[in-house]
């Protein structure tokens, strides 16, 4: 167990089921995740891997039909989020854990001025309105919005997409949270803006001493930004480790194939691009053995019999694959 | 070649008529459906179910109370009220279905033309619809009846004129929202003409809210017909109508309450039935209101 | 290779205000130019990539080629026939040879039609007798690697990759010679992207198709296109063969775009950014070189004088006063930044 003072968020054995008309969807299974102090942890995975369910579990924003397993725990700064009262939970959301969403166009209320939206977040603080506006203007300045004091009166549609995402970041960091969760914050933006936003987020997190959980399907961004990487597949963490270790010495066949598929990593120009054949299993009717076995080119006898546990490659690198155990 | 492996082999199948099952799971919707079916079957089978000829006079048993022979009693001319109610249902449904159906079709086509056509056509049609909607329904009806004379066709005409703009507005709004979507662009890029785009691709995507509105409009139209017949401006005697039965009962309420009760109950059943069904349909069909499973 | 498509001096304008509003506001010109002075040729069997950020006019250009938006100036020649001024009937015949794939794989399929109806729709539209049978639908699905079970499926039941294949099948129905693909990999997972690109590549080889690929995804376009055009504010700022542009961009914007793509290697982190700021609005284009507001190498001349698209190296054009030298012939052209 890590020392609690070094850890902002600790997710242990998190399993989440969704009860639907078709059956029980086993969306997350035995997920372990640690976000250390002042670190940026990236979550990579393709659609349906459970990224959003994981984030929503941390903030307890799951839909009504979700069932969280009894053995699960989500500990934020020493307190179990899953056992918290609704009042305590509200105290944490937006204040100690804040979020930046995918689409900056819809994340801001279109009929309220930026200044009002920003000072509204500070309602818990005992501060004069003038001070709150000064703080808001200061935050806007820090995220690179020119002439911030005057622009507080402007409405979201008066800003471009990139500027709006900067405002969202400013709002997320206003309460000086311990953890910032960014859910694909740049997918709606162009490449040149994406690069700007990523650098901004990295700088600000360092300046505010804030940890970040960065969710993306873009391996380039993960490599650029993160200290640690968690690879998810079909509701399980299949591999996690320090970023250099993971990118250069990936152990899980899925991680390796995912890295191979990225056209940005293919040096030679080629017309025939690598793919991962087969499809993500139905989460209602899971295969008996390893979750990736049906698509895995390296599977052998133990893979289809039982699910692998998590094995250590080294102190900072864990993999859910029998080959690592047997190596 | 790696590309021949489809990313997914299985198709996510949904049970057919899933919306219908959902409707049956909603108790109010189910109740509404039962009432509506009851009304429709009794109207269709009126000739078979009716124990008496609705025109046959039986002066000896005028204004009789319910009995095994006359389930809902008789009116002031001794005609069997139950048989008249059943046939009145035929009239009510005929008026409602013909007029609501026509307004729906007309509104759909005009609304799509307004939404998909050039701006000047849109402006012209909208100006026209707004003017028509400004007429008070009853005043308009009275004026038309005064000029043309009371008849079933007059009622139908009045209802079509006054309700079409509502359908057209909804059809126009949905068309505007749909016409710039990628699948319409894709059809245009294939060279599809305007009629094909409108009738083959727009209609199935915008017709649902209109159907819901129609199911809610049916009881309104039935009440309009009953109201005008009550005033003696609707169907001509001896054709029975729930409104004229009510009117007869009103005149003889000191002698017997049964006529008013018999004329009122079917109106209440119809209104409740179609309204519940319409609301349940809206919940089931409108994806924006769909709750998380 | 014979020439299939030739675009010459194309300009597309959009109205920003109605007649009455522009009179009231005394706007001198209530138009914006979404595409300006664009010329290029596409040969048979070739893939041409249009690259740019949102608002660069790449999608509008693609739509102008297939006739979804009207051109204001210029000419488009397809297979030797000038499309401008052609009547609708003859335009329809020519358009059968050009098909378009739209950005969103699922939303570009008519939501209440089955896959069978969607992929045979082109036969109905062009009234091609005898081609509406299930046999043709099955053949098309086969061609894109989907099994027959999909014929009865509705778009919302398909995954992104499956829907994209259906879109390809529909585009192929009329045996086109040119396919305009708007962001063919948008909304797809990395592992599925490869499948679709491989499929398009196989179809190109088997059927001799030409592609006009519109994308902002530089890593993808590098692998699939023969030649490229980089667009900024509706103009081409650089054109040339793909390998050459990726190896040594001549325009600072191209360099900035290439540098903005994060490398999936934690050892190659960037410490500085090439491009600051955002794309200016089409409503008020900067004076001089339109890129000077964001260009880290801008000089006095760039602020006052607009550069023209000119040949800076064999087969390479750029609209920059001071293009980067081509390493193949360094020292002979331009001075670079």
């Amino acid at each position: 167990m890590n020392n609690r003072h070094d850890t902002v968020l600790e997710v242990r054995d998190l399993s989440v089921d969704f009860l639907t008309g078709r059956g029980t969807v086993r969306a997350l299974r035995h997920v372990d995740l640690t976000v250390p102090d002042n670190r940026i942890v990236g979550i990579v995975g393709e659609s349906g891997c459970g990224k959003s369910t994981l984030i929503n579990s941390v903030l307890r924003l799951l839909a009504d039909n979700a069932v969280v397993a009894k053995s699960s725990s989500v500990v934020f700064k020493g307190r179990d989020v899953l056992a918290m009262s609704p009042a305590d939970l509200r105290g944490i959301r937006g204040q100690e854990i804040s979020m930046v969403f995918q689409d900056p166009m819809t994340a801001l209320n279109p009929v309220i001025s930026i200044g009002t939206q920003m000072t509204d977040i500070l309602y818990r603080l005992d501060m004069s309105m003038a001070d709150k506006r000064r703080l808001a203007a200061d935050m806007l300045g820090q995220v690179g919005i020119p002439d911030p004091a005057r622009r507080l009166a402007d409405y979201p549609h008066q800003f471009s997409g990139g500027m709006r995402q900067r405002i969202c970041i400013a709002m997320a960091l206003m309460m000086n949270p311990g953890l910032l969760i960014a859910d694909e914050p740049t997918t709606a933006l162009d490449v040149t803006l994406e690069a700007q936003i990523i650098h901004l987020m990295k700088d600000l997190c360092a300046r505010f001493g804030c940890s970040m959980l960065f969710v993306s399907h873009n391996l380039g961004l993960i490599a650029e930004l993160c200290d640690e990487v968690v690879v998810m597949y079909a509701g399980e963490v299949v591999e996690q480790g320090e970023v250099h270790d993971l990118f250069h010495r990936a152990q899980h066949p899925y991680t390796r194939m995912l890295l191979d598929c990225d056209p940005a990593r293919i040096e030679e120009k080629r017309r025939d691009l690598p793919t991962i054949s087969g499809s993500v299993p139905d989460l209602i009717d899971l295969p008996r053995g390893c979750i990736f076995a049906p698509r895995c080119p390296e599977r052998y006898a133990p893979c289809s019999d039982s699910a692998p546990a998590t094995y250590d490659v080294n102190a900072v690198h864990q993999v859910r694959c029998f080959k690592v155990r047997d190596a | 070649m790696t590309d021949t492996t489809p990313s997914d082999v299985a198709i996510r199948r949904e049970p057919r008529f899933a919306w219908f099952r959902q409707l049956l799971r909603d108790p109010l919707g189910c109740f509404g459906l039962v009432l509506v079916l009851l009304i429709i079957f009794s109207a269709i089978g009126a000739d078979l179910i009716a124990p008496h000829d609705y025109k046959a006079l039986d002066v000896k048993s005028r204004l009789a109370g319910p009995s095994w022979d006359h389930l809902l009693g008789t009116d002031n001319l001794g005609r069997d009220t139950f048989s008249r109610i059943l046939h009145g249902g035929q009239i009510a449904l005929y008026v409602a279905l013909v007029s609501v159906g026509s307004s729906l079709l007309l509104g759909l086509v005009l609304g799509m033309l307004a939404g998909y056509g050039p701006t000047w056509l849109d402006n012209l049609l909208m100006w026209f619809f707004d003017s028509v909607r400004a007429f008070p329904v009853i005043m308009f009806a009275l004026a038309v009846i005064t000029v043309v004379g009371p008849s079933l066709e007059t009622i139908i005409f009045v209802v079509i004129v006054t309700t079409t703009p509502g359908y057209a507005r909804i059809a126009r709004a949905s068309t505007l929202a749909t016409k710039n979507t990628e699948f319409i662009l894709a059809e245009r890029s294939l060279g599809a003409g305007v009629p094909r785009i409108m009738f083959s691709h727009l209609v199935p995507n915008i017709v649902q809210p209109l159907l819901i509105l129609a199911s809610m409009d049916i009881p309104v139209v039935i009440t309009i017909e009953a109201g005008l017949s009550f005033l003696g401006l609707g169907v001509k005697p001896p054709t029975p109508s729930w409104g004229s039965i009510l009117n007869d009962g009103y005149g003889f309420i000191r002698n017997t309450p049964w006529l008013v009760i018999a004329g009122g109950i079917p109106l209440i059943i119809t209104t409740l039935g179609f309204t519940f069904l319409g609301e349940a349909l809206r919940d089931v069909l409108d994806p924006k209101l769909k709750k998380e499973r | 290779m014979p020439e299939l498509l030739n675009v010459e001096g194309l300009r597309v304008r959009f109205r920003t205000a109605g007649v009455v509003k522009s009179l009231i506001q005394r706007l001198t010109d209530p138009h914006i130019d979404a595409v300006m002075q664009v010329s290029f040729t596409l040969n048979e069997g070739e893939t041409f990539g249009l690259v740019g950020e949102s608002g660069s006019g790449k999608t509008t250009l693609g739509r102008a080629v297939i006739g979804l938006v009207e051109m204001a100036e210029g000419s488009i020649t397809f297979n030797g026939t000038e499309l401008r001024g052609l009547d609708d009937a003859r335009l329809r015949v020519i358009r059968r040879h050009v098909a378009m794939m739209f950005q969103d794989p699922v939303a570009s399929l008519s939501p209440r039609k089955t896959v069978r109806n969607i992929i045979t729709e082109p036969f109905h539209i062009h009234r091609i007798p005898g081609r509406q049978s299930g046999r043709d639908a099955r053949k098309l699905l086969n061609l894109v690697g989907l099994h027959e079970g999909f014929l009865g499926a509705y778009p919302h039941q398909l995954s992104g990759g499956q829907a994209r294949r259906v879109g390809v099948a529909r585009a192929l129905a009329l045996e086109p010679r040119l396919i305009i693909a708007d962001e063919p990999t948008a909304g797809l997972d990395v592992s599925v992207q490869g499948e679709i690109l491989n499929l398009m590549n196989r179809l190109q080889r088997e059927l001799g198709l030409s592609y006009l690929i519109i994308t902002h995804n530089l890593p993808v376009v590098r692998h699939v296109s023969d030649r490229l055009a980089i667009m900024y504010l509706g103009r081409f700022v650089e054109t040339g063969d793909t390998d050459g542009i990726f190896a040594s961009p001549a325009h600072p914007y191209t360099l900035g775009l290439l540098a903005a793509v994060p490398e999936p290697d934690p050892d190659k982190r960037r410490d500085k950014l090439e491009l600051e700021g955002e794309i200016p609005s089409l409503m008020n284009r900067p004076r001089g070189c339109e890129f000077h507001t964001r260009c880290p190498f801008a000089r006095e001349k760039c602020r006052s004088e607009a550069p023209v698209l000119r040949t800076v190296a064999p087969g390479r054009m750029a609209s920059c006063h001071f293009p980067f030298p081509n390493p193949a012939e360094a020292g002979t052209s331009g001075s670079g930044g």
Side-chain angles (χ1 to χ4, degrees):
Chain A
M1 241 335 133
N2 280 325
N3 186 339
R4 274 198 173 157
H5 294 291
D6 300 330
T7 308
V8 177
L9 181 75
E10 191 156 345
V11 176
R12 284 287 159 263
D13 198 27
L14 177 66
S15 299
V16 177
D17 292 346
F18 288 99
L19 308 176
T20 72
R22 276 203 315 138
T24 304
V25 178
R26 312 212 39 213
L28 284 184
R29 298 176 307 284
H30 311 295
V31 168
D32 290 331
L33 175 84
T34 306
V35 182
D37 232 0
N38 284 314
R39 299 277 271 183
I40 301 176
V41 176
I43 302 181
V44 216
E46 299 188 283
S47 47
C49 72
K51 292 176 289 193
S52 335
T53 310
L54 176 55
I55 298 173
N56 290 339
S57 312
V58 170
L59 284 167
R60 256 176 69 189
L61 291 170
L62 291 169
D64 293 341
N65 61 346
V67 180
V68 180
K70 291 254 164 19
S71 58
S72 311
S73 76
V74 174
V75 179
F76 176 74
K77 288 191 173 166
R79 289 176 289 170
D80 192 347
V81 175
L82 296 178
M84 252 178 217
S85 70
D88 289 345
L89 207 56
R90 279 199 299 278
I92 281 203
R93 286 182 197 152
Q95 193 164 1
E96 297 193 53
I97 305 180
S98 59
M99 251 188 108
V100 176
F101 295 92
Q102 209 176 83
D103 189 356
M105 298 300 168
T106 52
L108 295 166
N109 187 333
V111 295
I112 299 178
S113 74
I114 295 300
T116 310
Q117 291 192 48
M118 291 186 81
T119 47
D120 275 356
I121 303 176
L122 304 173
Y123 74 100
R124 291 192 188 90
L125 297 188
D126 186 22
M127 222 190 229
S128 76
M129 200 55 192
D131 284 342
K132 283 182 182 175
R133 289 188 81 84
R134 213 165 296 134
L135 184 63
D138 178 56
M139 277 308 302
L140 283 188
Q142 295 216 36
V143 296
I145 298 212
D147 200 5
R150 236 167 28 111
R151 300 223 67 179
L152 282 179
D154 286 350
Y155 288 83
H157 72 266
Q158 289 164 297
F159 295 87
S160 67
M163 286 295 169
R164 271 187 246 188
Q165 196 59 297
R166 284 170 193 266
I167 294 168
C168 291
I169 293 168
M171 287 171 69
L173 291 175
M174 277 235 296
M175 294 296 289
N176 215 340
L179 177 67
L180 177 69
I181 300 179
D183 184 5
E184 311 244 8
T186 58
T187 33
L189 303 176
D190 282 316
V191 230
T192 56
L193 292 179
E194 177 178 82
Q196 293 171 7
I197 295 289
I198 291 302
H199 277 241
L200 177 74
M201 290 181 80
K202 189 164 194 169
D203 287 351
L204 287 176
C205 273
R207 206 184 307 160
F208 283 76
C210 164
S211 301
M212 178 152 66
L213 196 55
F214 181 84
V215 180
S216 181
H217 63 270
N218 187 329
L219 292 164
L221 292 181
I222 297 277
E224 176 95 15
L225 186 67
C226 300
D227 303 309
E228 287 167 31
V229 187
V230 174
V231 183
M232 291 187 72
Y233 176 75
E236 282 178 14
V237 171
V238 293
E239 181 159 11
Q240 57 183 316
E242 194 274 331
V243 64
H244 295 86
D245 225 48
L246 196 120
F247 271 84
H248 296 313
R249 286 173 292 280
Q251 298 294 318
H252 199 284
Y254 175 67
T255 315
R256 286 207 301 268
M257 290 169 82
L258 194 64
L259 288 168
D260 287 344
C261 279
D262 190 345
R265 277 176 61 95
I266 304 168
E267 292 291 332
E268 287 288 297
K269 173 170 177 163
R270 52 186 289 192
R271 283 293 165 96
D272 193 12
L273 296 166
T275 61
I276 305 179
S277 61
S279 63
V280 180
D282 186 355
L283 294 184
I284 288 178
D285 184 24
L286 295 170
R288 199 154 65 93
C290 168
I291 187 77
F292 189 60
R295 299 172 81 179
C296 184
E298 299 168 41
R299 67 169 174 271
Y300 60 122
C303 301
S304 24
D305 289 340
S306 57
T310 303
Y311 307 103
D312 284 356
V313 178
N314 56 43
V316 291
H317 193 166
Q318 288 84 37
V319 182
R320 200 182 273 275
C321 178
F322 285 121
K323 290 194 74 175
V324 173
R325 178 194 67 180
D326 296 347
Chain B
M1 212 61 244
T2 39
D3 76 71
T4 40
T5 329
S7 50
D8 250 347
V9 180
I11 310 164
R12 285 181 281 130
R13 284 263 179 228
E14 272 174 31
R16 268 169 186 274
F17 304 111
W19 62 272
F20 189 70
R21 283 177 208 192
Q22 244 176 302
L23 182 71
L24 292 184
R25 242 180 279 156
D26 179 358
L28 272 186
C30 217
F31 180 56
L33 187 68
V34 169
L35 291 186
V36 167
L37 288 178
L38 182 80
I39 292 157
I40 291 174
F41 282 122
S42 67
I44 292 173
D47 291 317
L48 298 173
I49 306 168
H52 296 271
D53 180 359
Y54 69 91
K55 285 180 294 207
L57 307 179
D58 181 6
V59 191
K60 271 173 276 171
S61 51
R62 289 174 65 227
L63 296 173
S67 64
W68 280 115
D69 192 26
H70 300 290
L71 282 173
L72 288 169
T74 56
D75 68 0
N76 54 323
L77 298 174
R79 293 175 295 194
D80 179 46
T81 309
F82 183 59
S83 307
R84 289 179 65 75
I85 292 290
L86 290 179
H87 281 92
Q90 277 185 332
I91 300 294
L93 278 188
Y94 170 73
V95 172
L97 293 181
V98 169
S99 55
V100 170
S102 317
S103 339
L104 182 100
L105 272 181
L106 202 61
L108 181 66
V109 172
L110 290 178
M112 275 199 304
L113 280 177
Y116 200 79
T119 321
W120 63 265
L121 185 65
D122 186 21
N123 289 339
L124 187 77
L125 284 170
M126 278 299 110
W127 172 80
F128 178 69
F129 293 151
D130 289 344
S131 319
V132 171
R133 267 163 77 96
F135 301 155
V137 180
I138 295 293
M139 288 301 155
F140 178 64
L142 292 179
V144 172
I145 290 163
T146 316
V147 176
V148 192
S151 75
L152 219 52
E153 287 66 37
T154 318
I155 297 180
I156 291 174
F157 170 75
V158 167
V159 170
I160 292 176
V161 169
T162 51
T163 54
T164 300
Y167 293 96
R169 273 202 162 272
I170 294 181
R172 172 182 173 267
S174 318
T175 305
L176 285 178
T178 315
K179 80 170 183 183
N180 286 325
T181 50
E182 282 203 343
F183 76 89
I184 296 288
L185 266 176
E187 292 300 325
R188 284 178 55 202
S189 82
L190 290 171
V194 174
R196 184 170 189 91
I197 288 175
M198 283 196 356
F199 293 101
S200 182
H201 297 280
L202 270 177
V203 169
N205 288 290
I206 66 173
V207 80
Q208 264 180 15
L210 295 182
L211 289 177
I212 294 159
L213 182 68
S215 102
M216 307 256 224
D217 260 357
I218 286 175
V220 177
V221 173
I222 288 178
T223 348
I224 291 178
E225 184 269 323
L228 290 171
S229 298
F230 181 88
L231 295 173
L233 300 171
V235 295
K236 276 175 269 177
T239 315
S241 156
W242 295 342
S244 50
I245 293 169
L246 260 180
N247 189 28
D248 291 345
Y250 183 69
F252 295 94
I253 194 147
R254 287 171 201 282
N255 307 71
T256 171
W258 286 107
L259 269 180
V260 176
I261 293 172
I265 283 175
L267 277 174
I268 294 171
I269 292 179
T270 318
T271 311
L272 282 181
F274 279 101
T275 309
F276 286 157
L277 182 68
E279 285 192 0
L281 275 178
R282 187 192 57 201
D283 292 348
V284 171
L285 294 178
D286 192 340
K288 272 169 257 159
L289 291 169
K290 219 171 240 174
K291 291 172 205 149
E292 293 259 324
R293 271 181 305 169
Chain C
M1 280 186 289
E3 177 184 302
L4 183 67
L5 176 76
N6 181 42
V7 174
E8 206 59 58
L10 182 75
R11 183 176 192 185
V12 179
R13 321 190 79 197
F14 289 124
R15 239 199 138 78
T16 53
V19 182
V20 181
K21 196 179 168 192
S22 51
L23 271 177
I24 293 169
Q25 296 182 337
R26 290 167 192 278
L27 289 175
T28 41
D29 185 13
H31 288 97
I32 51 164
D33 291 296
V35 174
M36 259 180 127
Q37 291 159 15
V38 161
S39 307
F40 68 97
T41 50
L42 175 62
N43 297 323
E44 268 184 55
E46 193 188 28
T47 304
F48 192 84
L50 286 177
V51 176
E53 297 181 271
S54 52
S56 63
K58 56 188 194 301
T59 296
T60 309
L61 173 54
R63 289 182 183 177
V65 170
I66 200 168
L68 281 177
V69 295
E70 248 173 80
M71 52 176 146
E73 280 171 27
S75 80
I76 298 174
T77 318
F78 182 78
N79 205 20
T81 314
E82 163 68 55
L83 299 191
R84 196 166 190 196
L86 229 53
D87 59 70
D88 279 358
R90 291 181 55 195
L91 211 53
R92 265 169 73 107
V93 175
I94 290 176
R95 287 233 190 95
R96 278 177 47 179
H97 302 296
V98 187
M100 184 145 187
M101 283 161 57
F102 290 83
Q103 272 192 38
D104 189 319
V106 179
S108 58
L109 307 178
S110 201
R112 305 208 173 247
K113 303 271 170 190
T114 58
V115 167
R116 174 202 224 99
N117 284 331
I118 289 169
I119 59 181
T120 54
E121 175 85 0
F123 302 137
H124 290 276
I125 290 172
H126 290 274
R127 298 200 183 84
I128 297 173
R131 295 296 305 275
Q132 294 142 17
S133 64
R135 203 164 51 97
D136 283 293
R138 278 193 288 275
K139 217 169 80 188
L140 282 169
L141 277 195
N142 233 337
L143 204 57
V144 298
L146 287 178
H147 67 81
E148 296 174 9
F150 285 95
L151 281 175
Y154 287 90
H156 69 270
Q157 296 169 317
L158 305 174
S159 71
Q162 292 164 350
R164 183 46 93 208
R165 282 170 192 266
V166 172
V168 175
R170 171 173 64 183
L172 290 175
L174 297 173
E175 292 161 19
R177 300 172 65 183
L178 169 64
I179 291 184
I180 301 170
D182 193 353
E183 303 281 6
T185 57
L188 301 179
D189 282 323
V190 193
S191 63
V192 183
Q193 271 180 18
E195 283 179 21
I196 298 298
L197 296 172
N198 292 345
L199 170 71
M200 289 175 65
N201 180 37
R202 173 170 63 86
L203 294 170
Q204 180 166 45
R205 274 188 286 107
E206 289 175 4
L207 309 173
L209 293 169
S210 306
Y211 289 122
L212 184 62
I213 291 185
I214 299 164
T215 186
H216 68 273
N217 192 329
L218 288 156
V220 161
V221 87
R222 177 175 154 236
H223 291 290
V224 299
S225 73
D226 303 306
R227 287 188 303 132
L228 271 190
I230 316 286
M231 290 187 78
Y232 191 75
L233 288 179
R235 293 179 205 267
F236 281 1
V237 294
E238 180 163 3
T239 63
D241 77 278
T242 307
D243 297 336
I245 288 181
F246 272 85
S248 67
H251 198 285
Y253 179 61
T254 314
L255 179 74
L257 268 187
L258 292 177
V261 180
E263 284 236 26
D265 184 346
D267 292 339
K268 293 185 184 160
R269 291 191 179 180
R270 301 160 292 182
D271 35 14
K272 86 176 185 51
L273 289 178
E274 296 293 339
L275 284 185
E276 301 282 343
E278 297 187 15
I279 303 182
S281 152
L282 287 170
M283 303 262 253
N284 46 47
R285 293 168 174 271
R287 292 168 57 96
C289 173
E290 288 176 345
F291 183 61
H292 86 257
T293 53
R294 297 177 76 190
C295 184
F297 314 108
R299 303 180 194 181
E300 203 43 53
K301 190 181 179 192
C302 305
R303 292 182 188 93
S304 54
E305 199 180 313
V308 289
L309 192 65
R310 63 192 168 93
T311 304
V312 294
R316 178 84 68 88
M317 293 176 90
S319 68
C320 179
H321 292 305
F322 311 102
F324 301 115
N326 193 324
E329 42 190 299
T332 55
S333 73
S335 56

